[in-house]
Amino acid sequence: MRISVVDVGSNTVRLVVADAEGGVPLPVHTAKWRLRLSDHVRPGGPVPKEAVERLVDAVAEASRTATRWGAAGPLAFATAVVRSAPNRREVLRTVRARTGVALCTLPGEVEAELTFLGARRWMGWRSGPLALLDIGGGSLEVAFGRGRLPDFVASLPLGAGRLTHEFFEGQDPPPPERVRALRRKVRHQLRDVAARIRWEGPRTAVATSRTFQQLGRLCGAPPGRHGPFVERLLHRPDLREAVGRLAALPAAERAALPGISAPRAAQSLAGAVVGHTAMKLTGIKTLTVCPWAIREGVLLRHIEDGAAWWAEVARRNEEAAPPDPVPLRIAPPTSRTEEGDSHARRPEPGTQAARDGA
């Protein structure tokens, strides 16, 4: 079986075509189209018409590419930049009408759950109780779990692109007081979530997303050409030093640093501040940069739970249902989780998730 997934993010549209024999998504082709939606959409603002046109073109080409590689219609989703737009429904309808691809959005908590699943599979059971950090363009996802699926998830409006617009607009490089103001906001919004992660005491902590991959490279991790199986670690003191380096440079000069690409140079500072602050508040000293994330999580859920699962995602999206997660066999908070954060969920007794986490 050959399947494909399309991920519409703040900066790029990414396609993964994978073979699913043996229950593992093995990539056979990947492609990306740079859109830079975050340059044209202010946080919480509408996606402008010209950006929708570029999105339609990219999704259509991704669908044609998937077909050429022998995959059925892609499982397509958009992250925070579209999810939070007031014209979200119009954007999704336009893409579907023009391309035939049923693009949908996922609640931030579901994004965290799927990303955790991908990271858990990559890291394996040996990693034990696992904490996850994922910095996107519009949001920060945090998760913790002992089993296949997380016990606790949170999605916060602390994406690197969003915060760059909010704190550093027209300031390149920004003055130190703006960097301090950003750090204060991140500390305030992360306080309760970080307390929950400290309380859980993860054995292993992982970071996913392109932002963390580039920060890892900046801090000395091996380059991508060494392949996905090389261990890549990000240490908190190194990231703290990187914040200072990035803050002292304009975006054009940041792009000359190891790992920092020109399209992401402007938001690299905000990403570094969020990453370092999150590590400090959670007590995490070292992150493993994990190559599997939400796209692999979507592929795994499709392989393991069948096409009906994604059909339910699309149905809820089409009906504009409240942003409750598509059933992941996770129950509402217990009395223990209420001491932490209201986004927490735990596996329902007797379900597969409970058996996975046993």
Side-chain angles (χ1 to χ4, degrees):
M1 178 175 64
R2 183 162 285 186
I3 53 180
S4 62
V5 60
V6 170
D7 173 3
V8 177
S10 297
N11 295 291
T12 56
V13 172
R14 293 179 181 269
L15 166 71
V16 176
V17 180
D19 283 335
E21 300 300 328
V24 178
L26 300 176
V28 296
H29 181 71
T30 63
K32 67 179 180 180
W33 294 263
R34 184 164 288 122
L35 291 187
R36 302 293 298 167
L37 287 178
S38 59
D39 287 350
H40 307 283
V41 182
R42 298 192 64 84
V47 182
K49 183 177 180 180
E50 58 272 19
V52 175
E53 290 297 319
R54 288 194 296 273
L55 174 58
V56 166
D57 291 342
V59 172
E61 182 58 29
S63 180
R64 289 191 291 267
T65 302
T67 299
R68 288 197 297 270
W69 281 86
L75 312 174
F77 65 93
T79 53
V81 67
V82 174
R83 183 177 66 231
S84 61
N87 62 336
R88 174 182 68 96
R89 303 297 302 169
E90 179 185 349
V91 172
L92 300 180
R93 283 195 296 266
T94 300
V95 170
R96 183 167 191 169
R98 300 267 298 276
T99 70
V101 175
L103 181 69
C104 68
T105 56
L106 304 173
E109 291 79 11
V110 172
E111 288 188 17
E113 291 164 349
L114 292 167
T115 304
F116 181 92
L117 173 60
R120 167 61 80 189
R121 282 301 171 82
W122 182 268
M123 298 297 294
W125 296 111
R126 185 179 181 183
S127 58
L130 184 69
L132 166 81
L133 299 176
D134 182 290
I135 302 173
S139 60
L140 165 71
E141 274 67 59
V142 182
F144 171 85
R146 295 173 176 83
R148 167 182 176 252
L149 296 173
D151 304 317
F152 166 82
V153 294
S155 181
L156 302 168
L158 296 176
R162 174 191 292 269
L163 295 176
T164 298
H165 276 298
E166 182 177 347
F167 286 89
F168 302 153
E169 189 80 54
Q171 302 178 84
D172 187 25
E177 57 268 22
R178 296 306 295 162
V179 179
R180 289 194 293 269
L182 169 58
R183 192 180 290 277
R184 284 195 299 270
K185 174 168 182 171
V186 176
R187 279 202 304 261
H188 174 73
Q189 295 210 4
L190 260 176
R191 180 185 56 198
D192 293 340
V193 171
R196 173 62 184 271
I197 298 299
R198 289 198 310 272
W199 179 71
E200 294 283 7
R203 175 179 177 179
T204 306
V206 299
T208 60
S209 75
R210 189 64 176 159
T211 295
F212 270 122
Q213 290 173 2
Q214 294 200 359
L215 292 173
R217 179 72 186 101
L218 176 62
C219 293
R225 65 177 180 272
H226 289 184
F229 299 108
V230 174
E231 185 178 51
R232 292 175 172 87
L233 301 177
L234 179 57
H235 302 290
R236 195 167 78 202
D238 295 337
L239 186 53
R240 180 67 186 91
E241 181 181 342
V243 170
R245 292 174 66 189
L246 293 168
L249 298 174
E253 294 183 30
R254 292 177 201 158
L257 296 173
I260 305 299
S261 65
R264 293 178 180 269
Q267 66 183 48
S268 59
L269 173 57
V273 171
V274 172
H276 178 262
T277 305
M279 291 180 75
K280 187 172 182 180
L281 291 181
T282 57
I284 295 171
K285 296 181 179 179
T286 300
L287 288 166
T288 297
V289 181
C290 176
W292 275 19
I294 187 170
R295 291 183 291 276
E296 290 74 19
V298 169
L299 291 170
L300 285 165
R301 284 303 306 268
H302 189 272
I303 292 168
E304 295 169 1
D305 297 329
W309 172 74
W310 189 259
E312 179 69 4
V313 171
R315 184 188 68 79
R316 291 194 178 201
N317 187 78
E318 184 67 25
E319 294 176 356
D324 295 328
V326 174
L328 290 174
R329 300 181 292 275
I330 295 180
T334 65
S335 59
R336 186 186 182 205
T337 63
E338 288 168 356
E339 296 174 7
D341 185 87
S342 61
H343 291 96
R345 303 185 194 92
R346 288 191 177 277
E348 187 174 345
T351 62
Q352 183 63 44
R355 292 191 290 273
D356 289 335

